[in-house]
Amino acid sequence: MSNKPKTVRGMNDILPDVAARWQHLESEVEDVIQAYGYRQVRLPLLEHTEIFRRSIGEVTDIVEKEMYTFDDDGDSLTLRPEATASMVRAGITHGLFHNQRQKLWTVGPMFRRERPQAGRYRQFHQFDVEAMGYAGPDVDAELIIMSARLWQRLGIDSIRLEINSLGVAESRERYREALVEYFNGVKSRLDEDSIRRLGKNPLRILDTKNPDMRDIVAGAPVMLDYLDEESAAHFEGLKALLEAAGVEYEVSPRLVRGLDYYSRTVFEWVTDALGSQNAVCAGGRYDGLVEKLGGRATPAIGWAMGVERLVALYEACGGGYPPVAPDAYIVAVGEGTQARAFALAEELRDAASGLRVELNLGGGSFKSQMKRADKSGATWALVLGEQELSEGRIGLKPLRSAAQQENVALDQLAAVLQERTSGR
Ligand code: ATP
Ligand code: MG
């Protein structure tokens, strides 16, 4: 038996090859988010457990069974399972919502003790975008259009948008009564979780992942029939803006999302390309949450996107990555060449920003240094021997083509490399 240390179940090391892909996609996502005027915040991974209990809701999968909670000298703390609650807490803590509107985003790890499987982990990563102080529906549409822009930019096409409205507390209460009546009528066919939720939080039954419950859920009354007038107008406004922007959607009347804080607009981008883990980006409006967590009543909306699922979907749609290998690998053999090579590497990095230069470290024969150069994936080896050094030149040897080695004057090298790597 191997005694290699293991990672915690459902938590993954992101090794260099994969991390480079993440970096590429993350910078694309950041560009899009910031193009809409959202500003980054960075939040702690731990919050007082209360924050999540009160916002996500007691009778939800997350709070009932998925949180990593521990006692810290009498304080109950929880590793964040999602970012909206922390974002709202931070805004209240620092008075960010007082007579101000905020467009905020963050990215980082989230923690849920779920059953690990492809596309579902216990530590996963999310981009999270939130707009506070905007009543919508224009901002609702803009947030969705922002995500649509991202799919377009990344060439992701196997994705579709589902939207629904959950109305406001009063209309939801009437809907809740209708749901209780319906589910009571089919009680003998409900699973254990749903029976328990029937009394406390019947909306959650609609969010069940149990396939045996699908038919029962499909026959349940729909929220859209219980919408108050203003919520209905809000929903129509959203649909009109999406249509005007050319963003296709499906109204999905049983979409409720797995957290209690939502009101009015909810949406999910789903795909058929990733098996059963089909939600890539999801969100909604949470007009009551800021007040519930102790702030002034502030309308708000946001979405969260799973980085792991974005990466998987991007690749499933044929997305590629820019090369990350060095441009040049400096091979230095002979008296006095190492010191010159060191200085040269710095000169190149100064002269051409973005140029990736790797210097051979740890000496070695010409042959072993060339082997390392090749293995690094570099486009060129820069060969500096005693002869070259005394003549003020360097050998520029292409490693990825059959082209001949050239000699380049040392003081011309930066310009030559810059020219050959420009426009990549
Ligand atoms: P699902 O229906 O797949 O459980 P969810 O509705 O619970 O997703 P949210 O809480 O809305 O997901 O989180 C937003 C996004 O975060 C999801 O669309 C998904 O991309 C990602 N996500 C959620 N849970 C996980 C997880 N355990 N592992 C990986 N990604 C996840
Ligand atoms: Mg979930």
Side-chain angles (χ1 to χ4, degrees), residues 61-62 66 112 114 120 124 207 209 257-259 309:
D61 281 349
I62 293 178
E66 295 174 357
R112 297 182 193 174
E114 301 195 70
R120 190 173 294 284
F124 61 100
D207 197 39
K209 293 250 174 354
R257 313 273 303 110
L259 306 89
R309 291 187 198 176

Side-chain angles (χ1 to χ4, degrees), residues 157-219:
D157 46 14
S158 24
I159 195 160
R160 57 176 202 280
L161 172 66
E162 298 186 351
I163 62 173
N164 192 20
S165 175
L166 299 179
V168 294
E170 297 76 49
S171 46
R172 227 165 22 252
E173 185 49 38
R174 287 191 290 124
Y175 176 52
R176 185 193 139 101
E177 285 161 19
L179 274 183
V180 170
E181 193 180 322
Y182 169 79
F183 284 123
N184 265 322
V186 291
K187 199 165 175 182
S188 59
R189 293 161 60 208
L190 295 182
D191 65 9
E192 209 180 299
D193 252 4
S194 305
I195 290 176
R196 204 166 38 76
R197 287 172 173 190
L198 182 53
K200 294 180 180 162
N201 196 351
L203 234 72
R204 282 283 73 78
I205 302 177
L206 300 180
D207 197 39
T208 175
K209 293 250 174 354
N210 181 354
D212 298 340
M213 296 275 300
R214 212 165 279 154
D215 285 351
I216 301 175
V217 165

Side-chain angles (χ1 to χ4, degrees), residues 11 40-49 51-52 56 62 66-70 77-87 89-90 105-113 121-128 259:
M11 304 199 177
Q40 192 188 32
V41 293
R42 301 187 184 204
L43 302 165
L45 301 191
L46 283 172
E47 296 281 349
H48 294 287
T49 304
I51 297 290
F52 301 120
I56 298 167
I62 293 178
E66 295 174 357
M67 296 203 302
Y68 286 95
T69 296
F70 64 95
L77 303 183
T78 292
L79 274 170
R80 64 178 185 192
E82 60 110 37
T84 303
S86 307
M87 198 84 110
R89 195 272 310 138
W105 71 275
T106 195
V107 60
M110 309 293 156
F111 303 84
R112 297 182 193 174
R113 194 188 280 106
Y121 309 101
R122 291 182 165 184
Q123 174 174 333
F124 61 100
H125 299 76
Q126 278 183 348
F127 271 95
D128 190 71
L259 306 89

Side-chain angles (χ1 to χ4, degrees), residues 136-353:
D138 50 1
V139 71
D140 308 29
E142 194 187 65
L143 272 170
I144 291 172
I145 291 166
M146 181 203 286
S147 45
R149 171 177 292 280
L150 182 68
W151 316 137
Q152 197 182 23
R153 174 152 167 173
L154 296 177
I156 290 175
D157 46 14
S158 24
I159 195 160
R160 57 176 202 280
L161 172 66
E162 298 186 351
I163 62 173
N164 192 20
S165 175
L166 299 179
V168 294
E170 297 76 49
S171 46
R172 227 165 22 252
E173 185 49 38
R174 287 191 290 124
Y175 176 52
R176 185 193 139 101
E177 285 161 19
L179 274 183
V180 170
E181 193 180 322
Y182 169 79
F183 284 123
N184 265 322
V186 291
K187 199 165 175 182
S188 59
R189 293 161 60 208
L190 295 182
D191 65 9
E192 209 180 299
D193 252 4
S194 305
I195 290 176
R196 204 166 38 76
R197 287 172 173 190
L198 182 53
K200 294 180 180 162
N201 196 351
L203 234 72
R204 282 283 73 78
I205 302 177
L206 300 180
D207 197 39
T208 175
K209 293 250 174 354
N210 181 354
D212 298 340
M213 296 275 300
R214 212 165 279 154
D215 285 351
I216 301 175
V217 165
V222 297
M223 180 65 218
L224 291 177
D225 293 335
Y226 294 81
L227 277 193
D228 52 285
E229 224 169 274
E230 263 183 65
S231 296
H234 189 111
F235 197 48
E236 288 311 309
L238 168 64
K239 290 195 283 187
L241 287 166
L242 290 178
E243 276 155 35
V247 175
E248 285 176 31
Y249 61 83
E250 268 163 58
V251 174
S252 175
R254 285 176 191 85
L255 176 67
V256 290
R257 313 273 303 110
L259 306 89
D260 278 355
Y261 50 62
Y262 290 113
S263 57
R264 292 199 169 142
T265 308
V266 287
F267 60 93
E268 249 176 46
W269 286 98
V270 292
T271 176
D272 296 325
L274 300 181
S276 55
Q277 277 20 282
N278 67 348
V280 179
C281 172
R285 181 162 278 288
Y286 50 93
D287 290 339
L289 185 58
V290 176
E291 196 173 16
K292 190 164 187 193
L293 290 184
R296 287 185 210 170
T298 306
I301 180 167
W303 57 243
M305 182 176 58
V307 176
E308 288 82 354
R309 291 187 198 176
L310 174 71
V311 171
L313 180 59
Y314 176 68
E315 292 175 5
C317 292
Y321 299 96
V324 288
D327 296 306
Y329 188 103
I330 304 181
V331 166
V333 184
E335 188 73 25
T337 58
Q338 207 203 12
R340 186 66 190 93
F342 242 97
L344 178 67
E346 294 304 331
E347 284 163 27
L348 292 177
R349 293 176 188 130
D350 280 344
S353 91

Side-chain angles (χ1 to χ4, degrees), residues 20-46:
R21 297 175 192 166
W22 283 38
Q23 259 189 308
H24 171 70
L25 284 179
E26 284 172 358
S27 93
E28 298 281 325
V29 177
E30 286 175 26
D31 276 1
V32 171
I33 293 173
Q34 293 186 157
Y36 286 79
Y38 285 73
R39 298 185 302 154
Q40 192 188 32
V41 293
R42 301 187 184 204
L43 302 165
L45 301 191
L46 283 172

